[in-house]
Amino acid sequence: MQYFKNIIFIFIFLNSFQALSKNNFNIHPIEVSKNIYVFMGDNNDVNPKNGGAISNTAFIIGTKSILVIDAGPSYLYGSKVIEIIKSYSSLPIRYLVVTHHHPDHSFGLSRFIENGTKIIMAQSEINRYVKYGNRLLKQLKNLIGEDWFIDTKIVAFENENIKFPINVNLGGREIIIELYDQGHSEGDLIVKDLLSKTIFVGDLVFNERAPTIPHANINNWNKYISTIMDSNWDYLVPGHGKLIKEKEELLLTKYWINYIDKIAKKAAKNGMSPAEIFNKGIPEPLLKYKLAKETWIRDLPLLINKYEFE
Amino acid sequence: MFKVFLFIMLILYSKFAYSGPFSDFKAGAGLSEELSSSPTERRNKPNSESIVQSRDALDSQNSEMWNDLQNELLGKNAKVFFVADVKIIMQDYIEEAHKVPLIVAIPKRLHNFNKLILLIENNPIQQVISLKPYRSIEAIGMNVRLEDDSPIRVAILDKDGNWNIGSKMVFVASAGGCSTPACDPAIEVCEPGIVGKIAVKEYEREAGAQRIKLKITHPMETGFVVDTDGEIIPEYFIKNIHVDDIDGPIADITTFAALSSDPVLLLDLSEKGQSVRVHVMDSHGLEFFSYKKDISM
């Protein structure tokens, strides 16, 4: 009988644990270099399991203050990140750099504003965030459930007309924030930590998974990737996927965006429908990318649409 | 002892019964109990079971919708034949349900048909278009909305008065193509543009054949979408598209809000049209022209 009681106890324990962790982000920072940590996003599409936490969030600790890169998908995520950072350091979180406006990078920012953190974001991206935020939020709630987005709000906030590039000092370490406009989005920010030679490039670089192109200018994006390849870094933190140490890995992002762009232009020129192209399957060289099919099917019609009635 | 066993089973059950935020989600009509019981699972990985299921759903005998649709749209005593040579080319598994591109490939024997109707059985708006041709047409393409998994059917009326039906089953990853705003988190095309801008493109195909592609900017509101303030956005869609050239009419198309916003239509003609023109009328009675309208008309 005692044996059964134990089993029951274990079941009850496991069940209550599941209830608690239902909408909790199970994230742990990985140390990239001394005092630089990254929360790796689930390298997947937004789904009810990952709660939208699909991109990477990072933080850099100086001797006086802390800088965070990207706010994650929701208020809950922002709270969790702040809670974890506080367990690492009691210094104030002074800056949040939001690399661009896509929900998986920006929707947690209202939590940081509450925290007294200064938000650094390109003006074009703030405009998009404010303009489309509520509709996107509603879409995301429909997609994976309201619970993941409790307290998530789209807030208009002041941006003191920042001129990029800007330098911030976290105490003992110099950070440069640069603007790469009209590339992957209208205004992507790149963060460089000079001390550790670490560069945070947002969604200008995707590792392993297929890059998404809905707001992209492919020509500029291409140039920017070359610029990033030529600049001096030891570690590169992409917006999605694992840490990069070899410059050659950036070619994967280049290859995809050029390939899909070429196909779309050709299709538009010949008057083809996306249905006809999809019917042929995904091109062989693109199959090695994660989420290749999803991205191919989502983005190709958009690009064809962009070119076909130009 | 038995009670303890029951208790364990109950807890086990409660553990497995939990299926995430989709647990209160209702799957589309016309699908069996076992499939609709776990939509999340099914949506994430279509398996052999769902393929069998789709084959079953495709059989008009099993469809709850088909008989009514047939009586209503094709007529009570219509001669209906389910044929294999009318092909609907589109994805089996749809990610973005607001703009789903498809092409109907019409076999040679039916190029000179009398009427073509495209239907999506499990949509709140089932009819997409009804097309009356004036020339030989080889293929028709468009973007549609899908509310849920559904058989898609194209009914083509031939010269002998027989309806030839081509069918395809499609699965939808995130349901609601008709009832959620057409504003994908990744895409953000939710800004209403200028209504009624028409673009026409002509492409040469082999042996004098031609493809006409036309795009009309229009919100194509279904009347099922609620805006951010909780208000229903009233239906507003294109009702008629008339395509002609200097030799007279090419096709007259009655359209419904199951067409995507900013609809793109594609027509493959056997013979090249001469300076193709488009005339559009919407449900507010507004008219749009791809050409300068002659005032004396």
Side-chain angles (χ1 to χ4, degrees):
Chain A
M1 203 60 218
Q2 187 58 40
Y3 177 67
F4 277 107
K5 273 185 184 162
N6 283 344
I7 290 177
I8 289 166
F9 177 77
I10 288 166
F11 272 124
I12 292 172
F13 178 77
L14 284 175
N15 271 296
S16 58
F17 186 73
Q18 190 194 23
L20 275 177
S21 64
K22 188 174 140 192
N23 276 336
N24 211 340
F25 290 99
N26 188 16
I27 47 173
H28 305 285
I30 296 164
E31 189 168 25
V32 174
S33 167
K34 197 168 184 290
N35 285 329
I36 297 184
Y37 297 85
V38 180
F39 297 95
M40 304 301 291
D42 181 16
N43 215 354
N44 227 318
D45 259 345
V46 172
N47 66 40
K49 276 186 191 134
N50 59 33
I54 57 170
S55 59
N56 299 334
T57 292
F59 61 98
I60 306 170
I61 307 173
T63 55
K64 290 203 183 87
S65 61
I66 297 169
L67 177 141
V68 179
I69 297 142
D70 278 342
S74 63
Y75 187 92
L76 285 178
Y77 183 91
S79 306
K80 185 82 187 179
V81 165
I82 289 172
E83 184 193 314
I84 292 172
I85 292 173
K86 281 188 173 155
S87 73
Y88 277 74
S89 162
S90 56
L91 293 170
I93 302 171
R94 189 149 291 155
Y95 307 100
L96 168 72
V97 178
V98 180
T99 56
H100 62 290
H101 79 281
H102 289 166
D104 50 327
H105 299 261
S106 70
F107 278 11
L109 70 81
S110 69
R111 180 66 185 87
F112 286 88
I113 291 178
E114 274 180 29
N115 193 54
T117 303
K118 182 178 160 60
I119 316 289
I120 301 170
M121 193 171 173
Q123 190 57 49
S124 60
E125 296 301 286
I126 296 177
N127 297 348
R128 273 192 171 267
Y129 163 82
V130 173
K131 193 168 173 186
Y132 297 114
N134 280 314
R135 273 168 137 160
L136 294 176
L137 184 58
K138 201 177 163 212
Q139 279 276 314
L140 281 169
K141 284 178 178 173
N142 284 342
L143 198 64
I144 62 169
E146 300 249 348
D147 291 355
W148 283 110
F149 298 98
I150 291 169
D151 293 330
T152 304
K153 281 194 272 305
I154 305 302
V155 289
F157 57 94
E158 290 298 313
N159 188 39
E160 302 143 18
N161 220 352
I162 309 171
K163 287 265 185 294
F164 294 97
I166 56 175
N167 289 38
V168 294
N169 200 321
L170 303 178
R173 64 194 321 157
E174 190 81 20
I175 309 286
I176 301 172
I177 302 159
E178 292 172 355
L179 173 68
Y180 286 70
D181 64 340
Q182 311 292 339
H184 152 267
S185 74
E186 278 182 43
D188 289 88
L189 295 183
I190 284 187
V191 177
K192 288 176 175 170
D193 175 59
L194 301 183
L195 191 69
S196 65
K197 286 202 199 158
T198 306
I199 176 167
F200 304 80
V201 295
D203 282 0
L204 284 165
V205 175
F206 286 71
N207 198 8
E208 295 162 337
R209 68 167 273 175
T212 55
I213 49 92
H215 304 105
N217 176 321
I218 308 279
N219 274 344
N220 287 345
W221 193 351
N222 243 322
K223 277 185 224 148
Y224 292 159
I225 295 174
S226 301
T227 313
I228 295 167
M229 283 177 79
D230 293 341
S231 62
N232 182 21
W233 48 266
D234 289 344
Y235 305 102
L236 181 143
V237 180
H240 298 261
K242 284 183 198 146
L243 181 73
I244 293 175
K245 287 173 190 161
E246 303 296 331
K247 290 187 193 288
E248 287 71 34
E249 292 182 56
L250 271 59
L251 292 172
L252 282 173
T253 305
K254 257 191 167 195
Y255 187 79
W256 176 285
I257 61 173
N258 287 318
Y259 199 107
I260 195 168
D261 195 53
K262 204 177 82 197
I263 299 281
K265 277 188 174 140
K266 203 172 145 200
K269 191 166 162 269
N270 298 331
M272 284 176 88
S273 156
E276 290 165 309
I277 299 170
F278 292 159
N279 208 29
K280 293 177 185 159
I282 306 165
E284 187 70 34
L286 301 186
L287 278 171
K288 59 178 178 249
Y289 292 79
K290 219 179 159 189
L291 300 175
K293 192 180 174 206
E294 290 85 344
T295 314
W296 178 252
I297 287 168
R298 188 169 51 214
D299 288 356
L300 191 65
L302 290 176
L303 277 182
I304 293 177
N305 215 303
K306 188 170 139 193
Y307 295 131
E308 71 186 341
F309 290 103
E310 247 175 12
Chain B
M1 183 68 184
F2 183 65
K3 275 183 186 166
V4 172
F5 178 71
L6 265 183
F7 191 50
I8 292 171
M9 291 311 285
L10 187 75
I11 291 170
L12 269 175
Y13 174 77
S14 67
K15 200 170 165 67
F16 290 113
Y18 172 73
S19 57
F22 276 97
S23 49
D24 59 346
F25 186 85
K26 281 197 193 65
L31 288 168
S32 85
E33 198 59 36
E34 52 191 278
L35 251 188
S36 45
S37 57
S38 174
T40 317
E41 191 66 20
R42 173 168 56 84
R43 278 169 206 292
N44 288 344
K45 21 177 140 58
N47 50 24
S48 56
E49 208 176 306
S50 52
I51 289 165
V52 172
Q53 197 64 47
S54 75
R55 212 185 299 136
D56 289 352
L58 209 49
D59 186 346
S60 61
Q61 299 287 320
N62 297 336
S63 166
E64 292 171 17
M65 307 282 175
W66 178 253
N67 279 338
D68 292 345
L69 278 172
Q70 182 181 324
N71 289 338
E72 188 188 328
L73 297 169
L74 312 185
K76 271 220 163 21
N77 300 312
K79 285 179 277 176
V80 171
F81 300 93
F82 287 85
V83 295
D85 59 352
V86 175
K87 299 246 189 278
I88 303 174
I89 301 169
M90 68 190 298
Q91 288 288 291
D92 302 312
Y93 190 63
I94 308 295
E95 286 280 331
E96 221 296 285
H98 291 98
K99 275 192 183 172
V100 183
L102 68 85
I103 285 190
V104 178
I106 301 164
K108 198 153 193 236
R109 66 181 179 92
L110 292 172
H111 281 177
N112 288 299
F113 60 93
N114 277 352
K115 197 174 182 182
L116 178 146
I117 296 176
L118 189 87
L119 298 167
I120 300 166
E121 280 195 14
N122 294 340
N123 258 11
I125 303 161
Q126 292 164 315
Q127 195 174 179
V128 185
I129 64 162
S130 166
L131 182 142
K132 163 105 189 81
Y134 294 88
R135 313 252 174 107
S136 164
I137 294 181
E138 298 174 3
I140 292 163
M142 70 205 83
N143 294 337
V144 300
R145 298 175 205 265
L146 291 172
E147 183 64 17
D148 209 325
D149 303 347
S150 176
I152 315 275
R153 307 212 194 256
V154 57
I156 301 177
L157 181 65
D158 64 22
K159 291 281 182 223
D160 305 324
N162 298 325
W163 284 99
N164 298 264
I165 317 288
S167 305
K168 183 172 171 68
M169 181 72 197
V170 290
F171 290 95
V172 177
S174 57
C178 296
S179 58
T180 57
C183 176
D184 187 82
I187 305 162
E188 293 175 23
V189 196
C190 29
E191 276 300 277
I194 309 153
V195 176
K197 225 170 79 186
I198 302 171
V200 183
K201 282 245 173 183
E202 297 169 44
Y203 307 91
E204 297 224 354
R205 296 190 300 129
E206 60 277 10
Q210 186 193 33
R211 167 167 288 186
I212 302 169
K213 217 177 193 184
L214 53 105
K215 182 184 180 181
I216 307 151
T217 54
H218 202 284
M220 297 299 280
E221 294 294 353
T222 57
F224 294 101
V225 179
V226 177
D227 70 10
T228 36
D229 302 324
E231 300 278 330
I232 286 179
I233 303 168
E235 61 172 14
Y236 178 41
F237 57 95
I238 296 169
K239 283 187 115 161
N240 187 271
I241 301 172
H242 187 81
V243 186
D244 65 3
D245 70 357
I246 48 171
D247 295 329
I250 294 172
D252 194 45
I253 312 162
T254 309
T255 53
F256 300 88
L259 270 185
S260 308
S261 60
D262 299 341
V264 173
L265 236 74
L266 188 151
L267 295 173
D268 279 357
L269 305 182
S270 306
E271 274 168 53
K272 198 175 178 318
Q274 302 292 324
S275 38
V276 176
R277 313 187 302 173
V278 179
H279 171 203
V280 173
M281 194 159 82
D282 74 13
S283 59
H284 286 183
L286 296 176
E287 287 184 77
F288 311 104
F289 301 85
S290 70
Y291 52 97
K292 237 193 161 115
K293 200 182 145 200
D294 189 351
I295 299 163
S296 65
M297 271 169 77

